[in-house]
Amino acid sequence: LILTSQVAFEIYEKIIMETIIEIGSKEEQGVINQELEMIMNAFPDDFFQTTQLQRIIIPFDFQAEINKLENIETYEVTRNYGGNTANVLGKIVKVENGFIIVLSPFLYTQGQDTQTRMQTIFHELFHAVNRRDFPKVLNVPYVSGIYYEKLYNLYDEYSCDRFASKMTNAIFP
């Protein structure tokens, strides 16, 4: 279902209570908002209600924002995989009444484009779908809990990437 931009904007205004953009000039922030509106056009009106998306934040300091929202000091945006590093570009954070998507300001630098940003945002949005549809398995033995968590993480990342690729490819064939 593709929505008209006016309908999508009205849904965007109602469902995403807040978009916080801490980077760029007012003009650049306007362009970022337009891009987010374009992404919202790809979803039916009940999607954001059923996934409980509360807001999108593009902070000046991505790592500090995640640590603040999750009330921790240990989150690191740079990951080391066997001597190779990768930076996290987006994260979904559980809050009291839903979820917040936090996007790295790196997504809005010169080497990044709309397709990369869309892929990241669609990926994070689908994490909310998976959390809605696959709640944590409770009251299982410790070893089973670890097994279920690893299976969930594999499925979650795989399905989010597949969804994000499909959506991005539909917009940019």
Side-chain angles (χ1 to χ4, degrees):
L1 175 65
I2 302 297
L3 306 172
T4 67
S5 89
Q6 180 60 37
V7 170
F9 184 72
E10 289 170 9
I11 292 165
Y12 174 79
E13 289 280 302
K14 290 178 195 169
I15 305 306
I16 298 180
M17 297 180 185
E18 193 173 15
T19 300
I20 301 170
I21 303 170
E22 297 177 354
I23 60 169
S25 66
K26 289 290 182 197
E27 182 180 319
E28 291 166 328
Q29 290 174 355
V31 171
I32 292 169
N33 271 320
Q34 286 178 341
E35 191 174 87
L36 290 172
E37 287 174 34
M38 182 174 61
I39 292 168
M40 298 307 125
N41 282 336
F43 295 92
D45 58 355
D46 66 344
F47 176 84
F48 299 100
Q49 292 170 331
T50 63
T51 57
Q52 301 174 322
L53 181 63
Q54 301 293 314
R55 75 188 82 126
I56 294 176
I57 302 173
I58 306 167
F60 180 76
D61 186 334
F62 181 64
Q63 182 170 300
E65 187 69 24
I66 298 296
N67 280 309
K68 180 179 87 176
L69 289 168
E70 294 193 336
N71 199 25
I72 59 173
E73 297 178 4
T74 56
Y75 187 81
E76 297 284 336
V77 297
T78 302
R79 308 287 168 84
N80 189 347
Y81 301 103
N84 297 311
T85 60
N87 289 318
V88 178
L89 298 177
K91 178 152 177 59
I92 189 164
V93 177
K94 177 74 174 118
V95 292
E96 186 176 336
N97 295 319
F99 298 96
I100 296 173
I101 292 177
V102 184
L103 299 172
S104 171
F106 180 74
L107 284 168
Y108 297 90
T109 58
Q110 189 171 356
Q112 308 302 313
D113 61 12
T114 301
Q115 287 178 294
T116 303
R117 288 186 292 277
M118 281 190 161
Q119 179 88 12
T120 301
I121 293 167
F122 287 141
H123 178 98
E124 296 306 320
L125 284 168
F126 208 71
H127 278 303
V129 171
N130 284 341
R131 285 187 174 84
R132 177 196 67 201
D133 294 346
F134 300 101
K136 286 190 177 217
V137 178
L138 303 174
N139 302 321
V140 295
Y142 177 74
V143 172
S144 296
I146 292 172
Y147 176 70
Y148 293 148
E149 182 179 352
K150 294 199 179 303
L151 283 176
Y152 175 83
N153 289 339
L154 286 170
Y155 173 79
D156 184 42
E157 290 301 325
Y158 172 77
S159 63
C160 290
D161 276 350
R162 290 285 306 263
F163 174 79
S165 292
K166 184 176 181 179
M167 293 296 289
T168 304
N169 290 337
I171 293 169
F172 297 98

